[in-house]
């Protein structure tokens, strides 16, 4: 039912309109005008309508709620919510309804560090160890990592410690966990060599801020950013939020529990469109809003300098022209119409967000949605609204249209090109093969459970030097040669429409991987048939993401000496979530080996074989895995008292299954998880339970969680 709120018009200061329109759409609309008559302000009716249309489209695509705010440097021009914050109660999002903003949280980290720079407490180009003397990594060179490198993704860290990062409960010690993980990790590449998206760099800025201020990171952000800017509805998820205070996310129609992104400085913030609009206004205002100054204009300018210039980058990607905190300081959707733009997107399992500001246009926009990993669509909406605003006020001659899918002419393939570029390429979690076809085209395939599975139609060589299909001609690929730390290397590049679709984005898709000297050793060959089970994953993650707890190893055809690691993950769709490591130099370690700037070389890890109690365990990044073959078997009729070890690792038991169902009784205060023989979840929960393993051949598997030295009784009947 539509419901109207009072309208307050204060010509001398601020006017606010709060209105509900439909159960599926509008909720909150604010117009904040500066002093002077309303007629002196540009009109944005068409831009607002563009935003309303785009938001409703996003609701139709699955978002449960959306909020948008359009601003200039002095006022919120328009702010509105759409959809339902709570489908069960019919609650619509209001001006105070929070959404997770994911990696847009990095803007708070960058602002916090730049405040310390403004005060002379921190220097961007001073090594991190100067401020955090205890910081260590497992390979030399880490002492050259500077504060700037944390903020521009060039530290050389492996990427993201995903353990406990995005789950359904708070983990207060997550930053310490990341520092511990880094102490066991090698550098992926020399610090400063290239910029590749890296969450851990931002995560540990929290430790830097705490060390230099004596305050917790969250308290510093509150005192120095949120309170001065009047951001009363912005929170870090240190505990559960009150009912109705945030927009819920849904899966298969059911509300998900609150998401806790424990990375804090990298991705944890919950906020509103109105609050985030204050950040946009501050940056448009050169570091201040009204009389409130947060940063110096010099620091705002430093944040907006392209940090990738001069670094290793086979092709420049305007969407990842990293600033300090910003994903892009050359936002391509605005650049396509002649305007500058600084942009940051943010994703989590439950939310997607975007913030874009254009100092030249003196406009900014915030789009946040209860839609998992929805930042790309948030960016597209943000572009649409800004483009419409520029056109509406005569600042661009025409409103752009998405690029038409024109098929470019086929050209003769240069002699030797297909032979030179055919082969295997990899990115963070994907392995691709390019095969030359008799007709001169290229066929791409991805590594799947069935082997190599064709991906898309054949790619034909075009007169612009790129390969593209007739069916999707705007998406194109090419292979280029590059000098990688003195070694000739090939990179698989891609080109495709992005954002609103009126421009092409260029990026590095994958890196060529080649045969390593010699075959895999006998030790590695023996491990290829083995399975390991994760022992230090958070039980909430296992329960809510339907995670397969197994780690497995496989070879990759044509690239002997390399191993594809398939870590515990959600069930794969269409391809193996496989991470390439080089096992040619050691019988006990496989090293991460990809050096890909921008985005697709993120989140790599080493694999280490760790001897424990006469068995070979596996450490992959922060995760530890126990060999499946070492599990004690709990036969029918048996009772076992399981004691959690000093490290707090989960304990696994194999449960005998036969022609009748097995009743499993668990006496515990902790969590537990029961799997069938194929590692599909049968049941999970916390506390005492009686459940059953369905009849069938083979073994089921039970994992129990608890505190160190805790005794847990399990029985099978």
């Amino acid at each position: 039912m539509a419901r109207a709120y009072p309208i307050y018009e204060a010509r001398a200061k601020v006017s606010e309109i709060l209105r509900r329109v439909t159960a599926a759409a509008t909720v909150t609309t604010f117009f904040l005008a500066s002093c002077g008559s309303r007629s002196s302000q540009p009109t944005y009716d068409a831009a607002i309508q563009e935003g309303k249309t785009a938001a409703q489209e996003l609701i139709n695509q699955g978002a449960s709620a959306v909020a948008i705010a359009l601003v200039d440097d002095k006022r919120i021009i328009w702010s509105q919510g759409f959809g339902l914050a709570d489908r069960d109660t019919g609650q619509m999002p209001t001006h105070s309804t929070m959404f997770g903003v994911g990696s847009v949280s990095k803007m708070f980290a960058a602002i916090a560090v730049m405040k310390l720079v403004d005060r002379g407490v921190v220097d961007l180009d001073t090594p991190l160890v100067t401020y955090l003397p205890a910081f260590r990594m497992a390979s030399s060179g880490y002492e050259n990592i500077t504060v700037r490198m944390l903020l521009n993704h060039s530290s050389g860290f492996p990427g993201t410690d995903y353990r406990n990062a995005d789950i359904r409960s708070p983990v207060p010690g997550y930053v310490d966990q990341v520092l511990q993980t880094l102490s066991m990790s090698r550098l992926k590449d020399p610090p400063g060599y290239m910029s590749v998206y890296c969450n851990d760099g931002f995560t540990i800025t929290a430790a830097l801020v705490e060390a230099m201020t004596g305050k917790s990171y969250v308290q510093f952000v509150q005192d120095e950013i949120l309170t001065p800017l009047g951001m009363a509805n912005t929170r870090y998820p240190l505990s559960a939020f009150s009912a109705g205070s945030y927009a819920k996310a849904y899966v298969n129609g059911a509300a998900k529990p609150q998401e806790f992104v424990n990375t804090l400085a990298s991705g944890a913030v919950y906020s509103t469109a109105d609050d985030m609009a204050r950040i946009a206004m501050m940056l448009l205002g050169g570091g201040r809003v009204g009389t409130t100054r947060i940063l110096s204009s010099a620091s705002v300018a430093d944040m907006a300098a392209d940090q990738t210039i001069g670094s290793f980058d086979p092709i420049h990607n305007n969407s990842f022209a990293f600033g300090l905190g910003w994903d892009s300081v050359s936002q391509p959707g605005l650049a396509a119409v002649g305007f500058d733009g600084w942009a940051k997107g943010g994703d989590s399992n439950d939310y997607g967000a975007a913030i874009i500001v254009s100092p030249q246009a003196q406009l900014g926009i915030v789009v946040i949605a209860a839609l998992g990993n929805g930042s790309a669509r948030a960016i597209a909406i943000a572009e649409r609204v800004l483009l419409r605003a520029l056109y509406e006020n005569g600042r661009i001659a025409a409103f752009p249209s998405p690029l038409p899918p024109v098929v470019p002419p086929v050209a003769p393939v240069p002699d030797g090109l297909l032979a030179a570029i055919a082969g295997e390429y990899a990115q963070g979690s994907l392995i691709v093969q390019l095969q030359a076809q008799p007709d001169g085209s290229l066929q791409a395939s991805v590594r799947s459970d069935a082997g190599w599975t064709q991906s898309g139609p054949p790619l034909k060589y075009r007169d612009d030097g790129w390969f593209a299909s007739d069916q999707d001609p705007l998406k194109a690929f090419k292979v280029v040669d590059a000098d990688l730390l003195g070694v000739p290397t090939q990179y698989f590049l891609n080109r495709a429409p992005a954002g609103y679709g009126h421009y092409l984005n260029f990026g590095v898709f994958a890196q060529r991987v080649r045969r390593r000297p010699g075959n895999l050793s006998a030790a590695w060959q023996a491990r290829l048939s083995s399975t390991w089970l994760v022992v230090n994953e958070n039980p909430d993650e296992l329960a809510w993401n339907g995670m397969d707890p197994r780690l497995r190893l496989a070879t990759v055809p044509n690239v002997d000496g390399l191993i594809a690691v398939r870590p515990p993950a959600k069930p794969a769709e269409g391809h193996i979530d496989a991470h390439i490591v080089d096992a040619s130099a050691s019988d006990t370690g496989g090293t991460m080996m990809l050096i890909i700037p921008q985005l697709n070389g993120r989140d790599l890890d080493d694999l280490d074989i760790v001897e424990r109690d006469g068995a070979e365990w596996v450490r992959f990044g922060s995760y530890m895995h126990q060999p499946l073959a070492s599990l004690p078997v709990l036969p029918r009729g048996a009772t076992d008292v399981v004691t959690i070890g000093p490290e707090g690792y989960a304990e696994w038991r194999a449960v005998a299954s036969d022609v009748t169902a097995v009743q499993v009784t668990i006496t515990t205060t902790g969590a537990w998880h029961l799997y069938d023989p194929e590692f599909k979840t049968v049941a999970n929960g916390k506390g005492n339970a009686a459940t059953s393993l369905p009849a069938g051949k083979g073994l089921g598997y039970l994992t129990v969680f608890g505190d160190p030295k805790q005794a847990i009784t399990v029985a099978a009947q």
Side-chain angles (χ1 to χ4, degrees):
M1 174 177 173
R3 181 177 173 188
Y5 285 78
I7 298 176
Y8 302 94
E9 294 191 355
R11 295 175 188 233
K13 199 165 183 179
V14 178
S15 65
E16 176 181 286
I17 301 174
L18 180 54
R19 179 183 174 93
R20 292 185 180 182
V21 177
T22 67
T26 70
V27 186
T28 308
T29 304
F30 293 97
F31 291 89
L32 288 87
S34 59
C35 295
S37 67
R38 178 182 291 251
S39 61
S40 67
Q41 299 291 345
T43 59
Y44 292 97
D45 294 344
I48 292 168
Q49 186 55 54
E50 190 77 41
K52 290 179 179 180
T53 300
Q56 188 56 54
E57 289 171 1
L58 196 56
I59 295 290
N60 295 341
Q61 293 165 9
S64 53
V66 178
I68 304 176
L70 177 67
V71 306
D72 61 22
D73 63 326
K74 296 181 178 64
R75 60 181 183 138
I76 300 177
I77 298 165
W78 166 64
S79 175
Q80 187 162 326
F82 304 81
L84 294 172
D86 189 323
R87 292 175 177 173
D88 294 331
T89 64
Q91 175 191 340
M92 302 174 185
T94 71
H95 65 94
S96 62
T97 301
M98 297 185 298
F99 294 70
V101 302
S103 285
V104 177
S105 305
K106 291 179 174 65
M107 296 307 301
F108 293 92
I111 293 166
V113 172
M114 296 310 291
K115 286 188 71 69
L116 299 182
V117 171
D118 281 341
R119 293 174 183 174
V121 175
V122 166
D123 179 81
L124 288 176
D125 297 310
T126 293
L128 177 64
V129 292
T130 303
Y131 306 115
L132 296 178
F135 174 72
R136 293 289 184 274
M137 292 186 71
S139 60
S140 61
Y142 72 88
E143 62 275 6
N144 298 321
I145 297 170
T146 66
V147 175
R148 181 186 301 276
M149 294 171 190
L150 302 181
L151 300 181
N152 69 13
H153 303 279
S154 70
S155 64
F157 290 163
T160 305
D161 187 350
Y162 280 109
R163 185 167 64 90
N164 293 320
D166 187 350
I167 56 175
R168 302 293 153 181
S169 58
V171 178
Y174 177 78
V175 175
D176 293 332
Q177 173 193 304
V178 172
L179 289 168
Q180 174 64 24
T181 299
L182 288 172
S183 74
M184 301 183 293
S185 303
R186 292 185 311 109
L187 286 165
K188 180 164 51 184
D189 60 279
Y193 181 68
M194 70 171 183
S195 289
V196 55
Y197 201 86
C198 178
N199 282 312
D200 285 350
F202 280 85
T203 296
I204 67 170
T205 62
L208 171 66
V209 169
E210 291 177 9
M212 302 314 294
T213 67
K215 290 184 178 182
S216 73
Y217 173 76
V218 171
Q219 192 62 53
F220 183 83
V221 171
Q222 182 67 55
D223 293 346
E224 302 290 339
I225 303 173
L226 305 184
T227 297
L229 287 177
M231 298 174 65
N233 296 300
T234 299
R235 304 276 190 280
Y236 285 87
L238 305 182
S239 60
F241 295 142
S242 60
S245 65
Y246 69 98
K248 292 183 177 180
Y250 292 80
V251 58
N252 299 324
K256 300 170 77 172
Q258 180 184 331
E259 180 181 47
F260 290 84
V261 180
N262 292 301
T263 58
L264 294 186
S266 182
V269 169
Y270 277 74
S271 190
T272 67
D274 290 8
D275 272 13
M276 293 304 299
R278 304 291 290 177
I279 295 292
M281 292 164 63
M282 181 271 291
L283 293 165
L284 284 171
R288 72 179 183 182
V289 178
T291 60
T292 300
R293 180 164 290 281
I294 301 298
L295 290 177
S296 69
S297 59
S299 282
V300 173
D302 284 347
M303 291 173 64
D306 189 341
Q307 303 287 306
T308 67
I309 294 174
S311 67
F312 177 72
D313 205 3
I315 190 169
H316 191 68
N317 185 337
N318 278 338
S319 288
F320 294 102
F322 295 114
L324 301 178
W326 295 110
D327 286 342
S328 174
V329 292
S330 301
Q331 207 285 319
L334 293 175
V337 297
F339 279 80
D340 63 3
W342 311 336
K344 182 74 191 84
D347 285 310
S348 69
N349 285 329
D350 290 354
Y351 301 97
I355 180 172
I356 302 177
V357 299
S358 172
Q360 182 181 350
Q362 277 297 287
L363 288 173
I365 188 167
V366 173
V367 180
I368 48 181
L371 178 69
N373 300 303
S375 70
R377 282 179 276 187
I379 288 283
I381 291 175
E383 288 181 359
R384 283 175 64 176
V385 177
L386 290 177
L387 292 169
R388 183 62 71 183
L390 292 171
Y391 175 59
E392 181 177 5
N393 288 295
R395 304 187 69 181
I396 56 176
F399 183 73
S401 299
L403 297 171
V406 177
V407 180
V410 173
V413 183
D415 291 343
L417 178 62
L418 293 179
I421 65 177
E424 288 70 39
Y425 297 77
Q427 55 172 251
S429 60
L430 186 70
I431 307 168
V432 181
Q433 184 182 70
L434 297 180
Q435 287 184 312
Q437 303 300 301
D439 64 356
S441 65
L442 275 177
Q443 178 63 58
S445 300
V446 296
R447 190 66 185 162
S448 70
D449 286 325
W452 292 108
T453 301
Q454 288 188 357
S455 177
L459 305 171
K460 300 176 183 178
Y461 188 72
R462 307 294 175 171
D463 61 358
D464 61 0
W466 290 73
F467 287 86
S469 69
D470 291 336
Q471 294 83 352
D472 193 2
L474 292 177
K475 184 182 292 184
F477 303 90
K478 74 187 306 183
V479 175
V480 298
D481 298 325
D483 183 295
L484 177 63
L485 296 169
V487 178
T489 308
Q490 289 178 304
Y491 285 90
F492 187 20
L493 310 182
N494 69 316
R495 182 188 75 196
Y500 177 56
H502 62 292
Y503 59 93
L504 292 174
N505 214 29
F506 297 78
V508 183
F509 185 75
Q511 180 183 349
R512 179 72 171 257
V513 291
R514 300 181 186 275
R515 186 186 303 271
R516 290 300 190 261
N519 294 320
L520 284 176
S521 68
W524 284 112
Q525 292 283 354
R527 296 175 187 131
L528 295 178
S529 60
S530 300
T531 297
W532 291 262
L533 302 174
V534 65
V535 297
N536 61 346
E537 177 60 280
N538 191 291
D540 288 343
E541 181 75 354
L542 292 173
W544 284 102
N545 277 343
M547 179 179 284
D548 184 329
R550 293 174 290 182
L551 179 142
R552 287 160 286 177
L553 308 178
T555 55
V556 181
N558 306 323
V559 285
D560 296 340
L562 303 184
I563 288 177
V565 183
R566 187 170 184 179
K570 298 179 185 179
E573 296 180 2
H575 70 273
I576 294 177
D577 183 16
H579 300 249
I580 293 287
V581 296
D582 182 357
S584 64
S586 170
D587 281 349
T588 58
T591 57
M592 55 184 170
M593 48 163 289
L594 299 178
I595 298 181
I596 305 173
Q598 301 169 14
L599 191 65
N600 290 332
R602 62 178 290 181
D603 303 339
L604 307 180
D605 286 300
D606 290 336
L607 182 142
D608 295 299
I609 302 298
V610 180
E611 192 78 18
R612 288 176 64 98
D613 302 323
E616 289 189 341
W617 290 43
V618 169
R619 181 172 59 237
F620 189 56
S622 174
Y623 293 91
M624 282 292 291
H625 308 81
Q626 177 183 5
L628 177 66
S630 70
L631 298 191
V633 176
L634 182 67
R636 184 187 291 270
T639 298
D640 189 6
V641 177
V642 179
T643 302
I644 302 296
E647 294 163 299
Y649 289 161
E651 286 284 335
W652 284 87
R653 292 294 184 270
V655 181
S657 173
D658 51 32
V659 294
T660 60
V662 177
Q663 301 300 311
V664 179
T665 303
I666 308 153
T667 305
T668 182
T669 58
W672 53 270
H673 206 116
L674 183 65
Y675 296 91
D676 71 10
E678 301 302 319
F679 285 92
K680 300 292 190 298
T681 298
V682 173
N684 62 74
K686 186 174 183 180
N688 297 339
T691 185
S692 62
L693 185 67
K697 298 180 180 179
L699 299 171
Y701 300 94
L702 174 68
T703 182
V704 293
F705 303 82
D707 297 324
K709 300 183 180 181
Q710 180 178 344
I712 299 166
T713 302
V714 296
Q717 301 295 330

